[in-house]
Amino acid sequence: MARRYDSRTTIFSPEGRLYQVEYAMEAISHAGTVLGVLTQEGIVLAAEKKVTGKLLDLSGASTGGYGGSGEKIFLVNTNVIVGVAGLTADASSMVNLMRLTAQRHLSVYDEDMPVEQLCKRLCDVKQGYTQYGGLRPFGVSILYAGWDPHYQFQLYHSDPSGNYSGWKATCIGSNSGTAQNMLKQHYKDDITLEAAIKLVLETMGKTMDSTTLGSDKLEFATITLDKNTKIPFAKIYRPAEVDALLKKHGLAKSEDEEMRS
């Protein structure tokens, strides 16, 4: 039945559905898990890396790359980091557009672009790709973690249709339903940043396809506010820092598991 209406993004089915958008959603549901938790002290992002292997060159991620040298978490501006789930090529295009948009706003107004305004601008582009012939929706969902002086820390989620919403804690990608249920049970409005880090790591450990957590399969980032300068600081953890964090919370690989891997 769908094949009669899914040849173009602009054709509605009799039920009022756009199948190309639903296909994009399906692509995202098979991507690596990305999880975000909002606190009054900052925001925690974690993501499951799907592209792993002993022959993969990770020197950029381990020695530098403050802007993010991985495949899932990227620095957009000093006040915004994002986690992506879906087609990596589409995600790279979206991240480049976000960075350009944020820098244009900074150049014109001499201030960082508000998080929701950046999210809305990108969603306008996403919606356009569901409306015109010859285009296809971007096969990527994005978690926006950021800070602005008016609304403080904010966490947003956008999907290929161009819809976006604000969250206290949310998950996208594979096993997102299980992760959402865990977050509902354990999230509290007064949660501290340290407790949020532990919650995120424990949730990722129980929802990822892998049986063990390690820097080879996990990306991690936080955005906090400097107490003295009141300037937001985004930190994308390097592999050694991720392993140290897992060890601190008792979730690191055992010596036997490291030898087998």
Side-chain angles (χ1 to χ4, degrees), residues 6-258:
D6 65 354
S7 60
R8 297 175 185 268
T9 59
T10 54
I11 298 177
F12 284 92
S13 74
E15 298 87 19
R17 296 160 64 182
L18 289 172
Y19 285 106
Q20 289 289 341
V21 174
E22 294 185 15
Y23 295 159
M25 299 278 199
E26 185 64 24
I28 292 163
S29 69
H30 296 290
T33 307
V34 182
L35 198 151
V37 173
L38 172 70
T39 75
Q40 294 181 354
E41 302 172 23
I43 304 173
V44 182
L45 281 183
E48 176 187 5
K49 289 193 286 189
K50 285 289 190 180
V51 181
T52 60
K54 291 184 177 180
L55 300 181
L56 192 64
D57 184 6
L58 298 174
S59 57
S62 59
T63 60
Y66 177 72
S69 301
E71 62 175 279
K72 305 289 286 186
I73 296 178
F74 301 89
L75 176 71
V76 173
N77 197 17
T78 54
N79 68 322
V80 181
I81 53 175
V82 297
V84 299
L87 302 180
T88 306
D90 286 7
S92 297
S93 177
M94 287 276 92
V95 169
N96 287 337
L97 180 57
M98 279 188 277
R99 287 172 174 167
L100 181 61
T101 303
Q103 290 304 307
R104 282 176 174 167
H105 187 280
L106 179 62
S107 175
V108 173
Y109 299 103
D110 195 28
E111 66 177 15
D112 290 329
M113 192 171 189
V115 188
E116 185 176 4
Q117 189 174 340
L118 178 62
C119 178
K120 186 177 185 300
R121 190 74 57 83
L122 263 292
C123 286
D124 289 343
V125 175
K126 283 187 175 185
Q127 191 276 331
Y129 275 70
T130 71
Q131 184 174 347
Y132 299 106
L135 305 175
R136 67 159 176 81
F138 288 96
V140 60
S141 279
I142 303 174
L143 289 187
Y144 307 77
W147 180 91
D148 67 56
H150 300 290
Y151 297 105
Q152 307 301 315
F153 291 105
Q154 299 156 70
L155 178 66
Y156 292 97
H157 162 236
S158 70
D159 60 38
S161 69
N163 186 33
Y164 76 93
S165 51
W167 293 83
K168 295 178 180 178
T170 189
C171 180
I172 55 178
S174 59
N175 302 319
S176 58
T178 305
Q180 290 274 26
N181 290 333
M182 290 188 63
L183 292 173
K184 287 179 183 177
Q185 293 175 6
H186 299 99
Y187 181 83
K188 298 178 181 178
D189 289 337
D190 59 349
I191 190 171
T192 63
L193 185 67
E194 193 63 31
I197 291 174
K198 184 178 181 180
L199 174 60
V200 166
L201 292 175
E202 289 178 347
T203 304
M204 291 295 290
K206 293 180 180 178
T207 57
M208 280 173 53
D209 294 334
S210 175
T211 55
T212 57
L213 286 177
S215 60
D216 56 331
K217 297 176 183 176
L218 184 70
E219 290 185 37
F220 197 86
T222 59
I223 182 165
T224 54
L225 192 67
D226 188 283
K227 294 181 180 179
N228 297 322
T229 62
K230 301 300 180 182
I231 296 175
F233 174 70
K235 178 179 175 60
I236 298 177
Y237 286 60
R238 294 173 181 169
E241 293 172 322
V242 173
D243 288 331
L245 199 61
L246 291 170
K247 186 175 181 180
K248 176 182 177 181
H249 292 281
L251 298 169
K253 293 180 181 179
S254 64
E255 293 183 2
D256 293 338
E257 289 172 335
E258 288 184 355

